[in-house]
Amino acid sequence: MATHKIDPAEVLLGVALKVYRARVLSEGLTEEIDRVLSSPTEARPEANADGSFSSIYEPTAEPHPAMSLTLGEFAHNARSALDNLVTALVVRNGGTPKSHHKFPLTTHINEWTASVTDLWPAEGPLAGVTREDLDLIHDVQPFHADDPTQHPLALVGRVNNADKHQMLHAAIPYTAPDADQEVLSVLPTSTQVQIIWTPARSALLARGDEFTRFRFVGPAPDEFLVKLNWPLTVVFRDHKGRDLNFTELSRMYEAVALAVRPWIDPEYQE
């Protein structure tokens, strides 16, 4: 029985399609999360005995399990685009892809040396690729970053492995890590409001939690409308308790797109 011959050009087309699919998934997921985060609360402020008022977290939209599925699909397409690239590079250089071939995602220079360059060109994940291809892959490795474990390519590998081998990431609403609540407007306009308590940044939120405590400067009117900004985010938590802020998705996509660009972009120049 004849062995099917792998065409590197077809594999590289598949790489480009997987990267594009990762982009579509990340943008769709980001749009859905933005919709959830911008949805208003249903609860009316509750009066407290000391004259203050408490706003309660009763969102009209919340993160849902389908978000976790989309995250896993995004990570799979992004990671497999990198691995498929290595298949194309091996075949293009006259070799045959093996199970050990993959795109390394190393977070320490010693790991790169021991698992890649010390074994190349005959063995290891990049066995059979050219020196030029090896150097290009070296240049995008996570270990170059100040915090390699948070490098977007390292995050792609981490999310893909957790989703593939352990469990779906849980989508959880959190207070934003980099912003505080503010009073946007007050009716009647002749009144003033002071925020006297908010949850800490990066705090887990559950329906029914107190989210803001405020008071009026002077007597509280019988009827009022206080609009507050509630800086929120959504994080995805894996089985080890590691959180991924959804805002990382664009960085993860861009890192993968840049990593494969030398081989799929005909106009690429170093």
Side-chain angles (χ1 to χ4, degrees):
M1 183 176 179
T3 302
H4 176 68
K5 184 177 180 180
I6 299 175
D7 183 347
E10 291 182 358
V11 180
L12 289 176
L13 175 60
V15 170
L17 291 173
K18 285 177 179 288
V19 173
Y20 175 74
R21 180 60 180 164
R23 176 182 174 181
V24 171
L25 290 165
S26 66
E27 290 179 348
L29 182 54
T30 297
E31 289 177 3
E32 177 63 11
I33 292 174
D34 284 339
R35 183 190 68 80
V36 168
L37 295 180
S38 62
S39 298
T41 183
E42 297 176 309
R44 297 179 62 84
E46 298 179 355
N48 300 315
D50 63 358
S52 65
F53 294 84
S54 295
S55 294
I56 307 301
Y57 181 61
E58 294 285 350
T60 55
E62 296 181 271
H64 50 79
M67 291 179 175
S68 301
L69 285 173
T70 304
L71 175 68
E73 292 170 4
F74 160 76
H76 167 74
N77 279 277
R79 183 64 173 108
S80 60
L82 297 172
D83 289 339
N84 288 180
L85 171 65
V86 174
T87 294
L89 300 183
V90 170
V91 175
R92 194 166 69 174
N93 199 35
T96 302
K98 304 294 184 182
S99 60
H100 57 75
H101 281 113
K102 65 178 182 178
F103 193 106
L105 297 175
T106 54
T107 55
H108 196 283
I109 181 61
N110 292 345
E111 179 187 5
W112 170 265
T113 301
S115 65
V116 181
T117 55
D118 282 354
L119 303 177
W120 181 85
E123 300 180 17
L126 297 181
V129 305
T130 66
R131 181 75 212 194
E132 179 183 4
D133 291 339
L134 180 77
D135 290 343
L136 287 170
I137 294 173
H138 165 273
D139 290 345
V140 299
Q141 289 300 299
F143 68 75
H144 293 294
D146 292 336
D147 186 354
T149 61
Q150 294 303 307
H151 186 282
L153 288 183
L155 294 178
V156 167
R158 191 187 86 188
V159 171
N160 181 64
N161 286 337
D163 179 85
K164 181 171 60 175
H165 296 298
Q166 277 81 31
M167 58 176 281
L168 289 175
H169 288 65
I172 307 170
Y174 263 65
T175 56
D178 55 357
D180 294 319
Q181 294 184 35
E182 297 177 354
V183 178
L184 298 179
S185 63
V186 183
L187 292 176
T189 56
S190 58
T191 59
Q192 294 183 351
V193 164
Q194 291 180 336
I195 295 176
I196 59 176
W197 177 87
T198 63
R201 292 180 175 183
S202 300
L204 171 66
L205 288 175
R207 181 178 288 270
D209 286 349
E210 182 181 24
F211 197 19
T212 313
R213 196 176 308 149
F214 63 88
R215 66 186 175 195
F216 286 88
V217 179
D222 293 334
E223 295 185 0
F224 60 85
L225 177 63
V226 177
K227 294 184 70 173
L228 305 163
N229 78 318
W230 283 6
L232 297 174
T233 190
V234 169
V235 299
F236 292 93
R237 177 167 293 175
D238 69 10
H239 63 293
K240 292 185 177 181
R242 297 173 297 189
D243 289 340
L244 177 81
N245 196 313
F246 86 98
T247 56
E248 293 289 338
L249 289 172
S250 60
R251 292 180 61 241
M252 293 162 69
Y253 159 74
E254 289 169 3
V256 173
L258 288 173
V260 303
R261 184 183 177 191
W263 299 278
I264 66 173
D265 182 357
E267 297 182 359
Y268 173 80
Q269 294 182 347
E270 294 188 51

